Amino acid sequence: VKERLIDLGKQLQKRDLKHMDHLDSKKFLMDKYLNSKEVDPELCIFSFVGRITEQKGVDVICSVVEEFLNETKFKAAFIIGGPATKGDPHGDHVIEASNYLKHKFPQNFYANPEAFFYDVPVLALGSNFCLMPSRFEPGGIVQHEFFIAGTPAVVFATGGLKDSVSEYNYSTGKGNGFEFLNYCREDLLAALHRAYKAFSNEEAYRRLRKNAFESAIDVANVSKDW
């Protein structure tokens, strides 16, 4: 965990990233992955990065994309970064679903599960939410990589995700993301809508990003915490 977090911090300072803010990174993502030359600050980008296995829940993401895009009038987008294993039934299912969504919604969905994803630092900085619907997750590293960039998370409340991500509370201004408690597409869809509502509220989203950044695990205390 310590090495991954230190490495991400270094990568954020490489290339021109040290000169990029959230909107610069979002513009990069929209240009490279969502076929849009202009940044749309009102577009809410949900991003997943990691191995595409049954554990990680990319299949449940794919199951809600079309419905969510229609319900938000296409003011949302999904970027899936990570490889699937050909020949694995789950991986083949995600590849098929991803190809369908990418073809139908080229400005609102990207995935290439047959290739490695290299733009994790920019993805962490430019996304509006990290998406982690893992069926189980003993610890979880990716949410902390996004937290370092000030990006909140939408997660299934399990294991290390439950320990590190808390539901945003409008009354107190506390919380660094949104959780769903029952593992089904309906609960994920509801959590996405809560996240989108917060994104649409400038003050709430500002607090969310601040809370996310402040909740990144201090690498000096990782061993003690776990």
Side-chain angles (χ1 to χ4, degrees):
V1 175
K2 179 179 179 180
E3 291 177 356
R4 283 282 296 276
L5 295 179
I6 291 175
D7 181 62
L8 182 75
K10 290 179 179 178
Q11 289 186 60
L12 286 171
Q13 296 176 20
K14 286 181 181 178
R15 303 178 348 197
D16 291 325
L17 287 179
K18 61 185 177 181
H19 304 298
M20 295 173 72
D21 62 13
H22 169 62
L23 285 180
D24 292 330
S25 301
K26 190 171 188 176
K27 182 178 181 179
F28 173 91
L29 295 175
M30 292 185 67
D31 182 15
K32 184 171 181 178
Y33 295 110
L34 299 173
N35 301 293
S36 177
K37 296 296 182 183
E38 299 295 328
V39 64
D40 181 357
E42 296 182 0
L43 184 77
C44 186
I45 299 179
F46 296 88
S47 296
F48 166 92
V49 63
R51 297 172 294 110
I52 296 179
T53 63
E54 187 170 5
Q55 174 200 350
K56 299 298 182 180
V58 178
D59 57 320
V60 76
I61 297 175
C62 291
S63 76
V64 303
V65 167
E66 188 163 3
E67 182 175 349
F68 187 72
L69 292 180
N70 280 300
E71 290 175 348
T72 57
K73 300 185 182 338
F74 296 90
K75 280 297 186 180
F78 294 81
I79 297 176
I80 308 295
T85 302
K86 268 190 173 182
D88 167 58
H90 181 81
D92 288 343
H93 168 70
V94 171
I95 290 172
E96 181 180 359
S98 296
N99 287 339
Y100 164 79
L101 292 167
K102 185 178 178 181
H103 176 74
K104 188 167 184 179
F105 307 111
Q107 293 187 310
N108 300 88
F109 184 88
Y110 172 86
N112 185 2
E114 299 179 77
F116 192 80
F117 188 83
Y118 290 97
D119 288 320
V120 176
V122 191
L123 188 70
L125 187 58
S127 297
N128 296 109
F129 290 95
C130 166
L131 191 49
M132 293 185 70
S134 299
R135 288 176 166 86
F136 60 94
E137 196 68 68
I141 297 173
V142 173
Q143 73 272 31
H144 299 294
E145 294 178 336
F146 277 76
F147 288 164
I148 288 173
T151 301
V154 177
V155 306
F156 177 54
T158 183
L161 299 179
K162 183 178 180 179
D163 293 340
S164 57
V165 179
S166 57
E167 183 87 6
Y168 181 72
N169 185 306
Y170 285 88
S171 298
T172 65
K174 295 182 179 180
N176 57 5
F178 296 90
E179 301 174 289
F180 62 107
L181 305 180
N182 298 306
Y183 204 89
C184 60
R185 66 179 302 279
E186 291 78 13
D187 272 29
L188 171 58
L189 196 58
L192 290 174
H193 275 293
R194 295 197 303 277
Y196 183 78
K197 177 183 176 182
F199 168 75
S200 302
N201 181 318
E202 185 176 347
E203 177 60 20
Y205 189 63
R206 184 193 66 78
R207 288 188 179 184
L208 258 174
R209 292 195 69 89
K210 181 175 183 289
N211 295 348
F213 178 76
E214 291 177 349
S215 63
I217 285 183
D218 184 340
V219 294
N221 295 323
V222 166
S223 297
K224 179 180 178 182
D225 289 342
W226 291 103

